[in-house]
Amino acid sequence: MIEIAITPKETDLGDGFIVRRSLPFAKKKMVGPFIFFDHLGPAKVNIDHGLKVRAHPHIGMSTLTYLFEGEIMHRDTLGNEQLIRPREVNWMTAGKGIAHSERSQVSGTDQVLEGLQIWIALPREIEDIEPNFVHINSSRIPVIQSGKNKFNLVAGKAFGKSSPVPVYSQLFCMEGKMEAEEIFAMDLAEDIEGAVYIVNGKLNCDHKIYESGSLICFKKGTSINFMALSGSQVIILGGEIFPEKRFIWWNFVSSSAAKIEIAKMRWENDQFGKVINEDECIPLPRDVSRPVEESVCYP
């Protein structure tokens, strides 16, 4: 049932803040519509050291921020300024273009920041919709009971329940903790693929043992099926497979390489608008040796 198991690479977002990046991967660019998957931390943050992602642009996808611990301040060009707390869902749809910043929020003492940053590609026919933003409090997130396991339905539909997050394609994203020897099973429709990411713990998938940091991708139309070998925290995600290829260059996602070239020029010419209460921005990368036709994802 397993297509591939991905070991993430470490990426520095700046100021020494290290994340583990599973998608995009050389041999597996996407899982359904999920095209980018970063595990932030766990890392100690304080006033001088933390997550400091200056204003930067996006097109053609939605961003999902979901924290396990700590707080992040989100600001964008629509005028939103939103503090993100654990188990809340921050969902920003870039569409034809938006810019935002993300900064860890701390008081005077060291704190821990850990969570996920995920990008979900939009269907080709709605890639250029107007940008929008939704924040969902943790109390509104449905809980799925599966045996002794409980999972938060972060986005999409699964097991007869629906998240209030306004998604644009058929998908699911769940987060939960499992006791040792508990089993998870979920059948996938013919055009659906899925994966499980091990935040911490150890799983047995198809008679192989995988540990923290692994993203195990299952073949489309089969099933997501595994057993926890210890107390484990997992993310289960997947969705419909788009018929067209997706290009990813820096923070831009599109079914059209030409649209990414236009987005590059727009950012250089300051045409994405101003992020509220943000004076710094990240300049366009100057790696001219990597064309849009190749998948390139910068920190």
Short mmCIF file of all heavy atoms in Angstrom, two decimals, residues 60-124:
data_model
loop_
_atom_site.label_atom_id
_atom_site.label_comp_id
_atom_site.label_asym_id
_atom_site.label_seq_id
_atom_site.Cartn_x
_atom_site.Cartn_y
_atom_site.Cartn_z
N GLY A 60 -2.10 31.18 -6.10
CA GLY A 60 -2.50 29.86 -6.56
C GLY A 60 -2.73 28.78 -5.52
O GLY A 60 -2.87 27.62 -5.88
N MET A 61 -2.78 29.15 -4.23
CA MET A 61 -2.96 28.11 -3.21
C MET A 61 -3.49 28.73 -1.92
O MET A 61 -3.64 29.94 -1.79
CB MET A 61 -1.64 27.39 -2.95
CG MET A 61 -0.44 28.29 -2.77
SD MET A 61 -0.23 28.94 -1.12
CE MET A 61 1.49 29.40 -1.17
N SER A 62 -3.80 27.83 -0.96
CA SER A 62 -4.19 28.24 0.39
C SER A 62 -3.09 27.81 1.35
O SER A 62 -2.46 26.77 1.17
CB SER A 62 -5.51 27.58 0.82
OG SER A 62 -6.58 27.96 -0.02
N THR A 63 -2.86 28.63 2.38
CA THR A 63 -1.92 28.26 3.42
C THR A 63 -2.70 27.85 4.66
O THR A 63 -3.72 28.44 5.00
CB THR A 63 -0.96 29.41 3.78
OG1 THR A 63 -1.72 30.49 4.37
CG2 THR A 63 -0.24 29.92 2.56
N LEU A 64 -2.21 26.83 5.33
CA LEU A 64 -2.81 26.34 6.57
C LEU A 64 -1.74 26.37 7.65
O LEU A 64 -0.70 25.71 7.53
CB LEU A 64 -3.33 24.91 6.37
CG LEU A 64 -3.70 24.10 7.62
CD1 LEU A 64 -4.83 24.76 8.37
CD2 LEU A 64 -4.07 22.67 7.23
N THR A 65 -1.99 27.13 8.71
CA THR A 65 -1.09 27.16 9.87
C THR A 65 -1.81 26.56 11.05
O THR A 65 -2.94 26.95 11.37
CB THR A 65 -0.65 28.60 10.19
OG1 THR A 65 -0.06 29.19 9.03
CG2 THR A 65 0.36 28.61 11.33
N TYR A 66 -1.15 25.60 11.71
CA TYR A 66 -1.77 24.85 12.81
C TYR A 66 -0.68 24.59 13.84
O TYR A 66 0.32 23.92 13.56
CB TYR A 66 -2.35 23.54 12.28
CG TYR A 66 -3.12 22.72 13.28
CD1 TYR A 66 -4.43 23.04 13.61
CD2 TYR A 66 -2.54 21.61 13.90
CE1 TYR A 66 -5.15 22.27 14.52
CE2 TYR A 66 -3.26 20.84 14.80
CZ TYR A 66 -4.56 21.18 15.11
OH TYR A 66 -5.26 20.41 16.01
N LEU A 67 -0.84 25.13 15.04
CA LEU A 67 0.18 25.06 16.07
C LEU A 67 -0.14 24.02 17.13
O LEU A 67 -1.30 23.81 17.49
CB LEU A 67 0.35 26.42 16.75
CG LEU A 67 0.76 27.59 15.85
CD1 LEU A 67 0.89 28.87 16.67
CD2 LEU A 67 2.07 27.31 15.12
N PHE A 68 0.91 23.38 17.65
CA PHE A 68 0.79 22.49 18.80
C PHE A 68 1.13 23.24 20.09
O PHE A 68 0.59 22.95 21.15
CB PHE A 68 1.75 21.30 18.67
CG PHE A 68 1.64 20.57 17.36
CD1 PHE A 68 2.77 20.18 16.67
CD2 PHE A 68 0.40 20.27 16.82
CE1 PHE A 68 2.68 19.50 15.47
CE2 PHE A 68 0.29 19.59 15.62
CZ PHE A 68 1.45 19.21 14.94
N GLU A 69 2.05 24.20 19.97
CA GLU A 69 2.50 24.95 21.14
C GLU A 69 3.02 26.31 20.68
O GLU A 69 3.56 26.44 19.58
CB GLU A 69 3.61 24.17 21.85
CG GLU A 69 3.96 24.68 23.23
CD GLU A 69 4.87 23.74 24.01
OE1 GLU A 69 5.21 22.66 23.48
OE2 GLU A 69 5.25 24.09 25.15
N GLY A 70 2.86 27.33 21.53
CA GLY A 70 3.34 28.67 21.20
C GLY A 70 2.30 29.50 20.47
O GLY A 70 1.15 29.07 20.27
N GLU A 71 2.72 30.69 20.01
CA GLU A 71 1.82 31.62 19.32
C GLU A 71 2.55 32.29 18.17
O GLU A 71 3.75 32.58 18.26
CB GLU A 71 1.29 32.68 20.29
CG GLU A 71 0.44 32.13 21.42
CD GLU A 71 -0.05 33.21 22.37
OE1 GLU A 71 0.54 34.32 22.37
OE2 GLU A 71 -1.01 32.95 23.12
N ILE A 72 1.81 32.57 17.09
CA ILE A 72 2.34 33.28 15.93
C ILE A 72 1.38 34.40 15.57
O ILE A 72 0.16 34.21 15.56
CB ILE A 72 2.51 32.33 14.72
CG1 ILE A 72 3.63 31.32 14.97
CG2 ILE A 72 2.81 33.12 13.44
CD1 ILE A 72 3.78 30.30 13.84
N MET A 73 1.93 35.57 15.24
CA MET A 73 1.11 36.68 14.75
C MET A 73 1.12 36.69 13.23
O MET A 73 2.18 36.75 12.60
CB MET A 73 1.64 38.01 15.27
CG MET A 73 0.82 39.21 14.81
SD MET A 73 -0.91 39.17 15.36
CE MET A 73 -0.70 39.61 17.10
N HIS A 74 -0.07 36.59 12.65
CA HIS A 74 -0.26 36.65 11.20
C HIS A 74 -0.73 38.05 10.82
O HIS A 74 -1.66 38.59 11.42
CB HIS A 74 -1.30 35.61 10.77
CG HIS A 74 -1.89 35.87 9.41
ND1 HIS A 74 -1.46 35.22 8.28
CD2 HIS A 74 -2.88 36.71 9.00
CE1 HIS A 74 -2.15 35.64 7.24
NE2 HIS A 74 -3.03 36.55 7.65
N ARG A 75 -0.10 38.63 9.79
CA ARG A 75 -0.54 39.91 9.22
C ARG A 75 -0.55 39.78 7.71
O ARG A 75 0.33 39.13 7.14
CB ARG A 75 0.39 41.05 9.65
CG ARG A 75 0.45 41.30 11.15
CD ARG A 75 1.35 42.48 11.47
NE ARG A 75 1.38 42.79 12.90
CZ ARG A 75 2.30 42.33 13.75
NH1 ARG A 75 3.29 41.57 13.31
NH2 ARG A 75 2.25 42.66 15.03
N ASP A 76 -1.53 40.41 7.03
CA ASP A 76 -1.59 40.27 5.58
C ASP A 76 -2.06 41.55 4.90
O ASP A 76 -2.39 42.55 5.56
CB ASP A 76 -2.47 39.08 5.17
CG ASP A 76 -3.93 39.24 5.61
OD1 ASP A 76 -4.47 40.35 5.52
OD2 ASP A 76 -4.54 38.23 6.03
N THR A 77 -2.09 41.51 3.57
CA THR A 77 -2.44 42.68 2.77
C THR A 77 -3.94 42.94 2.71
O THR A 77 -4.38 43.96 2.16
CB THR A 77 -1.90 42.53 1.33
OG1 THR A 77 -2.27 41.24 0.82
CG2 THR A 77 -0.40 42.66 1.29
N LEU A 78 -4.75 42.04 3.28
CA LEU A 78 -6.19 42.29 3.38
C LEU A 78 -6.52 43.09 4.64
O LEU A 78 -7.68 43.43 4.87
CB LEU A 78 -6.96 40.97 3.39
CG LEU A 78 -6.85 40.09 2.14
CD1 LEU A 78 -7.66 38.81 2.32
CD2 LEU A 78 -7.31 40.85 0.91
N GLY A 79 -5.51 43.36 5.47
CA GLY A 79 -5.72 44.10 6.71
C GLY A 79 -5.94 43.23 7.92
O GLY A 79 -6.27 43.73 9.00
N ASN A 80 -5.75 41.91 7.78
CA ASN A 80 -5.94 41.00 8.91
C ASN A 80 -4.69 40.98 9.80
O ASN A 80 -3.57 40.91 9.31
CB ASN A 80 -6.21 39.58 8.42
CG ASN A 80 -7.50 39.49 7.63
OD1 ASN A 80 -8.57 39.73 8.16
ND2 ASN A 80 -7.40 39.16 6.35
N GLU A 81 -4.91 41.04 11.09
CA GLU A 81 -3.85 40.88 12.09
C GLU A 81 -4.40 39.89 13.12
O GLU A 81 -5.26 40.24 13.93
CB GLU A 81 -3.49 42.21 12.74
CG GLU A 81 -2.30 42.12 13.68
CD GLU A 81 -1.84 43.50 14.13
OE1 GLU A 81 -2.72 44.36 14.36
OE2 GLU A 81 -0.62 43.72 14.24
N GLN A 82 -3.92 38.64 13.06
CA GLN A 82 -4.54 37.57 13.82
C GLN A 82 -3.49 36.77 14.60
O GLN A 82 -2.54 36.25 14.04
CB GLN A 82 -5.28 36.62 12.88
CG GLN A 82 -5.90 35.41 13.55
CD GLN A 82 -7.01 35.78 14.51
OE1 GLN A 82 -7.96 36.45 14.11
NE2 GLN A 82 -6.90 35.36 15.77
N LEU A 83 -3.68 36.68 15.90
CA LEU A 83 -2.83 35.84 16.73
C LEU A 83 -3.30 34.39 16.61
O LEU A 83 -4.48 34.09 16.79
CB LEU A 83 -2.89 36.29 18.19
CG LEU A 83 -1.96 35.56 19.16
CD1 LEU A 83 -0.50 35.83 18.80
CD2 LEU A 83 -2.25 35.99 20.60
N ILE A 84 -2.37 33.49 16.31
CA ILE A 84 -2.68 32.07 16.16
C ILE A 84 -2.23 31.32 17.41
O ILE A 84 -1.06 31.41 17.80
CB ILE A 84 -1.97 31.46 14.93
CG1 ILE A 84 -2.15 32.35 13.70
CG2 ILE A 84 -2.49 30.06 14.65
CD1 ILE A 84 -1.26 31.96 12.54
N ARG A 85 -3.15 30.61 18.02
CA ARG A 85 -2.86 29.83 19.23
C ARG A 85 -2.99 28.33 18.92
O ARG A 85 -3.53 27.95 17.88
CB ARG A 85 -3.82 30.22 20.36
CG ARG A 85 -3.74 31.68 20.76
CD ARG A 85 -4.72 31.99 21.88
NE ARG A 85 -4.64 33.38 22.31
CZ ARG A 85 -5.35 34.37 21.77
NH1 ARG A 85 -6.17 34.11 20.75
NH2 ARG A 85 -5.23 35.60 22.21
N PRO A 86 -2.50 27.47 19.82
CA PRO A 86 -2.55 26.03 19.56
C PRO A 86 -3.95 25.51 19.24
O PRO A 86 -4.93 25.92 19.85
CB PRO A 86 -2.01 25.43 20.87
CG PRO A 86 -1.08 26.47 21.38
CD PRO A 86 -1.74 27.78 21.05
N ARG A 87 -4.00 24.63 18.25
CA ARG A 87 -5.21 23.94 17.78
C ARG A 87 -6.22 24.87 17.11
O ARG A 87 -7.36 24.48 16.86
CB ARG A 87 -5.88 23.17 18.90
CG ARG A 87 -5.44 21.70 18.99
CD ARG A 87 -4.03 21.58 19.51
NE ARG A 87 -3.51 20.21 19.34
CZ ARG A 87 -2.37 19.80 19.86
NH1 ARG A 87 -1.63 20.64 20.58
NH2 ARG A 87 -1.93 18.58 19.66
N GLU A 88 -5.83 26.10 16.81
CA GLU A 88 -6.65 26.96 15.97
C GLU A 88 -6.18 26.81 14.52
O GLU A 88 -5.04 26.44 14.26
CB GLU A 88 -6.53 28.42 16.41
CG GLU A 88 -7.04 28.66 17.83
CD GLU A 88 -6.86 30.10 18.29
OE1 GLU A 88 -6.08 30.84 17.66
OE2 GLU A 88 -7.52 30.47 19.28
N VAL A 89 -7.08 27.09 13.59
CA VAL A 89 -6.75 26.95 12.17
C VAL A 89 -6.69 28.33 11.52
O VAL A 89 -7.66 29.08 11.53
CB VAL A 89 -7.77 26.08 11.42
CG1 VAL A 89 -7.41 25.98 9.94
CG2 VAL A 89 -7.84 24.68 12.04
N ASN A 90 -5.53 28.65 10.96
CA ASN A 90 -5.36 29.87 10.18
C ASN A 90 -5.34 29.47 8.72
O ASN A 90 -4.44 28.74 8.28
CB ASN A 90 -4.05 30.56 10.56
CG ASN A 90 -4.19 32.05 10.68
OD1 ASN A 90 -5.00 32.54 11.46
ND2 ASN A 90 -3.40 32.80 9.93
N TRP A 91 -6.33 29.90 7.95
CA TRP A 91 -6.50 29.48 6.56
C TRP A 91 -6.53 30.72 5.67
O TRP A 91 -7.46 31.51 5.73
CB TRP A 91 -7.78 28.68 6.42
CG TRP A 91 -8.08 28.16 5.05
CD1 TRP A 91 -8.79 28.80 4.07
CD2 TRP A 91 -7.71 26.88 4.51
NE1 TRP A 91 -8.88 27.99 2.96
CE2 TRP A 91 -8.23 26.81 3.20
CE3 TRP A 91 -7.00 25.78 5.01
CZ2 TRP A 91 -8.05 25.70 2.39
CZ3 TRP A 91 -6.83 24.68 4.20
CH2 TRP A 91 -7.35 24.65 2.91
N MET A 92 -5.50 30.91 4.87
CA MET A 92 -5.40 32.06 3.99
C MET A 92 -5.35 31.58 2.54
O MET A 92 -4.46 30.80 2.18
CB MET A 92 -4.14 32.87 4.31
CG MET A 92 -3.98 34.14 3.48
SD MET A 92 -2.38 34.96 3.77
CE MET A 92 -1.27 33.87 2.86
N THR A 93 -6.28 32.02 1.73
CA THR A 93 -6.31 31.65 0.33
C THR A 93 -5.73 32.78 -0.51
O THR A 93 -6.24 33.89 -0.52
CB THR A 93 -7.74 31.32 -0.13
OG1 THR A 93 -8.21 30.19 0.62
CG2 THR A 93 -7.78 30.99 -1.61
N ALA A 94 -4.63 32.47 -1.21
CA ALA A 94 -3.92 33.50 -1.97
C ALA A 94 -4.65 33.85 -3.26
O ALA A 94 -4.73 35.01 -3.65
CB ALA A 94 -2.50 33.02 -2.28
N GLY A 95 -5.17 32.82 -3.96
CA GLY A 95 -5.84 33.10 -5.23
C GLY A 95 -4.93 33.86 -6.17
O GLY A 95 -3.80 33.46 -6.44
N LYS A 96 -5.41 35.01 -6.67
CA LYS A 96 -4.62 35.78 -7.63
C LYS A 96 -3.46 36.53 -6.98
O LYS A 96 -2.60 37.04 -7.70
CB LYS A 96 -5.52 36.75 -8.38
CG LYS A 96 -6.11 37.87 -7.52
CD LYS A 96 -7.00 38.76 -8.37
CE LYS A 96 -7.52 39.95 -7.58
NZ LYS A 96 -8.40 40.81 -8.41
N GLY A 97 -3.42 36.59 -5.65
CA GLY A 97 -2.25 37.18 -5.01
C GLY A 97 -2.51 37.82 -3.66
O GLY A 97 -3.48 38.56 -3.48
N ILE A 98 -1.68 37.49 -2.70
CA ILE A 98 -1.73 38.07 -1.36
C ILE A 98 -0.32 38.04 -0.79
O ILE A 98 0.53 37.26 -1.24
CB ILE A 98 -2.70 37.27 -0.45
CG1 ILE A 98 -3.09 38.08 0.80
CG2 ILE A 98 -2.11 35.92 -0.06
CD1 ILE A 98 -4.20 37.44 1.61
N ALA A 99 -0.06 38.88 0.19
CA ALA A 99 1.22 38.84 0.91
C ALA A 99 0.92 38.84 2.40
O ALA A 99 -0.10 39.38 2.84
CB ALA A 99 2.10 40.04 0.54
N HIS A 100 1.80 38.20 3.17
CA HIS A 100 1.61 38.17 4.62
C HIS A 100 2.94 37.99 5.32
O HIS A 100 3.97 37.73 4.70
CB HIS A 100 0.63 37.04 5.02
CG HIS A 100 1.19 35.66 4.89
ND1 HIS A 100 0.97 34.67 5.82
CD2 HIS A 100 1.97 35.08 3.94
CE1 HIS A 100 1.56 33.55 5.45
NE2 HIS A 100 2.18 33.77 4.31
N SER A 101 2.92 38.17 6.64
CA SER A 101 4.11 37.94 7.47
C SER A 101 3.70 37.05 8.63
O SER A 101 2.52 36.97 8.99
CB SER A 101 4.68 39.26 7.98
OG SER A 101 3.78 39.89 8.87
N GLU A 102 4.70 36.40 9.23
CA GLU A 102 4.46 35.51 10.38
C GLU A 102 5.59 35.69 11.37
O GLU A 102 6.76 35.50 11.02
CB GLU A 102 4.41 34.05 9.92
CG GLU A 102 3.29 33.76 8.93
CD GLU A 102 3.57 32.54 8.09
OE1 GLU A 102 4.57 32.56 7.32
OE2 GLU A 102 2.82 31.56 8.20
N ARG A 103 5.23 36.04 12.60
CA ARG A 103 6.24 36.27 13.63
C ARG A 103 5.80 35.62 14.94
O ARG A 103 4.66 35.77 15.36
CB ARG A 103 6.46 37.77 13.84
CG ARG A 103 7.03 38.48 12.60
CD ARG A 103 7.23 39.96 12.86
NE ARG A 103 7.73 40.66 11.68
CZ ARG A 103 9.03 40.85 11.40
NH1 ARG A 103 9.94 40.35 12.23
NH2 ARG A 103 9.41 41.50 10.32
N SER A 104 6.73 34.88 15.55
CA SER A 104 6.42 34.26 16.84
C SER A 104 6.20 35.35 17.88
O SER A 104 6.82 36.41 17.85
CB SER A 104 7.55 33.32 17.28
OG SER A 104 8.80 33.97 17.24
N GLN A 105 5.27 35.09 18.82
CA GLN A 105 4.91 36.04 19.86
C GLN A 105 5.38 35.49 21.21
O GLN A 105 5.04 34.37 21.59
CB GLN A 105 3.40 36.26 19.88
CG GLN A 105 2.86 36.87 18.61
CD GLN A 105 3.34 38.29 18.38
OE1 GLN A 105 2.99 39.21 19.12
NE2 GLN A 105 4.17 38.48 17.37
N VAL A 106 6.18 36.27 21.93
CA VAL A 106 6.70 35.83 23.22
C VAL A 106 6.63 36.98 24.22
O VAL A 106 6.56 38.15 23.87
CB VAL A 106 8.16 35.35 23.11
CG1 VAL A 106 8.26 34.11 22.26
CG2 VAL A 106 9.06 36.45 22.54
N SER A 107 6.64 36.60 25.50
CA SER A 107 6.73 37.61 26.56
C SER A 107 8.22 37.75 26.91
O SER A 107 9.06 37.76 26.03
CB SER A 107 5.90 37.18 27.76
OG SER A 107 6.27 35.89 28.19
N GLY A 108 8.56 37.81 28.16
CA GLY A 108 9.96 38.03 28.51
C GLY A 108 10.77 36.76 28.64
O GLY A 108 12.00 36.81 28.66
N THR A 109 10.14 35.60 28.73
CA THR A 109 10.86 34.36 28.98
C THR A 109 10.85 33.46 27.76
O THR A 109 10.05 33.62 26.84
CB THR A 109 10.23 33.60 30.16
OG1 THR A 109 8.85 33.34 29.85
CG2 THR A 109 10.28 34.45 31.42
N ASP A 110 11.75 32.49 27.75
CA ASP A 110 11.80 31.52 26.66
C ASP A 110 10.50 30.72 26.60
O ASP A 110 9.96 30.32 27.63
CB ASP A 110 12.97 30.57 26.85
CG ASP A 110 14.30 31.24 26.55
OD1 ASP A 110 14.29 32.37 26.06
OD2 ASP A 110 15.34 30.60 26.81
N GLN A 111 10.02 30.49 25.39
CA GLN A 111 8.84 29.68 25.18
C GLN A 111 9.14 28.68 24.06
O GLN A 111 10.14 28.80 23.37
CB GLN A 111 7.64 30.56 24.81
CG GLN A 111 7.26 31.55 25.90
CD GLN A 111 6.17 32.51 25.47
OE1 GLN A 111 5.30 32.15 24.70
NE2 GLN A 111 6.22 33.73 25.96
N VAL A 112 8.26 27.71 23.89
CA VAL A 112 8.43 26.71 22.85
C VAL A 112 7.41 26.96 21.74
O VAL A 112 6.24 27.23 22.01
CB VAL A 112 8.26 25.28 23.41
CG1 VAL A 112 8.28 24.26 22.28
CG2 VAL A 112 9.36 24.98 24.43
N LEU A 113 7.87 26.89 20.50
CA LEU A 113 7.00 27.02 19.34
C LEU A 113 7.09 25.74 18.52
O LEU A 113 8.18 25.29 18.17
CB LEU A 113 7.41 28.22 18.48
CG LEU A 113 6.59 28.45 17.20
CD1 LEU A 113 5.15 28.78 17.55
CD2 LEU A 113 7.21 29.58 16.37
N GLU A 114 5.93 25.16 18.21
CA GLU A 114 5.89 23.97 17.37
C GLU A 114 4.56 23.94 16.63
O GLU A 114 3.51 24.27 17.20
CB GLU A 114 6.05 22.69 18.19
CG GLU A 114 6.08 21.44 17.31
CD GLU A 114 6.23 20.15 18.09
OE1 GLU A 114 6.06 20.18 19.33
OE2 GLU A 114 6.52 19.11 17.47
N GLY A 115 4.61 23.55 15.38
CA GLY A 115 3.38 23.46 14.61
C GLY A 115 3.64 23.11 13.16
O GLY A 115 4.73 22.66 12.80
N LEU A 116 2.63 23.33 12.34
CA LEU A 116 2.70 22.97 10.93
C LEU A 116 2.39 24.17 10.05
O LEU A 116 1.54 25.00 10.38
CB LEU A 116 1.69 21.87 10.59
CG LEU A 116 1.78 20.57 11.38
CD1 LEU A 116 0.61 19.67 10.99
CD2 LEU A 116 3.10 19.87 11.12
N GLN A 117 3.09 24.25 8.95
CA GLN A 117 2.74 25.18 7.86
C GLN A 117 2.56 24.33 6.61
O GLN A 117 3.48 23.62 6.18
CB GLN A 117 3.83 26.21 7.64
CG GLN A 117 3.56 27.09 6.45
CD GLN A 117 3.08 28.48 6.81
OE1 GLN A 117 3.76 29.43 6.48
NE2 GLN A 117 1.97 28.63 7.48
N ILE A 118 1.35 24.39 6.03
CA ILE A 118 0.98 23.53 4.92
C ILE A 118 0.41 24.39 3.79
O ILE A 118 -0.32 25.34 4.05
CB ILE A 118 -0.07 22.49 5.37
CG1 ILE A 118 0.49 21.63 6.52
CG2 ILE A 118 -0.51 21.61 4.21
CD1 ILE A 118 -0.55 20.73 7.17
N TRP A 119 0.76 24.04 2.55
CA TRP A 119 0.16 24.71 1.40
C TRP A 119 -0.71 23.71 0.65
O TRP A 119 -0.32 22.56 0.45
CB TRP A 119 1.22 25.23 0.42
CG TRP A 119 2.15 26.26 0.98
CD1 TRP A 119 2.10 26.85 2.20
CD2 TRP A 119 3.29 26.80 0.30
NE1 TRP A 119 3.14 27.74 2.34
CE2 TRP A 119 3.89 27.73 1.19
CE3 TRP A 119 3.86 26.60 -0.95
CZ2 TRP A 119 5.04 28.45 0.86
CZ3 TRP A 119 5.00 27.31 -1.29
CH2 TRP A 119 5.58 28.23 -0.40
N ILE A 120 -1.88 24.17 0.22
CA ILE A 120 -2.81 23.35 -0.54
C ILE A 120 -3.06 24.04 -1.88
O ILE A 120 -3.58 25.16 -1.92
CB ILE A 120 -4.14 23.15 0.22
CG1 ILE A 120 -3.89 22.46 1.56
CG2 ILE A 120 -5.11 22.34 -0.61
CD1 ILE A 120 -3.72 23.39 2.73
N ALA A 121 -2.69 23.39 -2.97
CA ALA A 121 -2.88 23.97 -4.30
C ALA A 121 -4.37 24.10 -4.62
O ALA A 121 -5.19 23.27 -4.22
CB ALA A 121 -2.19 23.12 -5.35
N LEU A 122 -4.72 25.15 -5.34
CA LEU A 122 -6.09 25.36 -5.77
C LEU A 122 -6.36 24.66 -7.09
O LEU A 122 -5.46 24.54 -7.93
CB LEU A 122 -6.37 26.86 -5.93
CG LEU A 122 -6.37 27.70 -4.65
CD1 LEU A 122 -6.47 29.18 -5.00
CD2 LEU A 122 -7.51 27.31 -3.73
N PRO A 123 -7.60 24.21 -7.33
CA PRO A 123 -7.95 23.68 -8.65
C PRO A 123 -7.69 24.74 -9.73
O PRO A 123 -7.86 25.94 -9.49
CB PRO A 123 -9.45 23.39 -8.52
CG PRO A 123 -9.66 23.18 -7.06
CD PRO A 123 -8.72 24.12 -6.38
N ARG A 124 -7.30 24.31 -10.91
CA ARG A 124 -6.89 25.24 -11.96
C ARG A 124 -7.96 26.29 -12.27
O ARG A 124 -7.65 27.47 -12.47
CB ARG A 124 -6.55 24.47 -13.23
CG ARG A 124 -6.05 25.35 -14.37
CD ARG A 124 -5.68 24.56 -15.59
NE ARG A 124 -6.83 23.85 -16.15
CZ ARG A 124 -6.77 23.09 -17.26
NH1 ARG A 124 -5.63 22.94 -17.90
NH2 ARG A 124 -7.87 22.48 -17.70
#
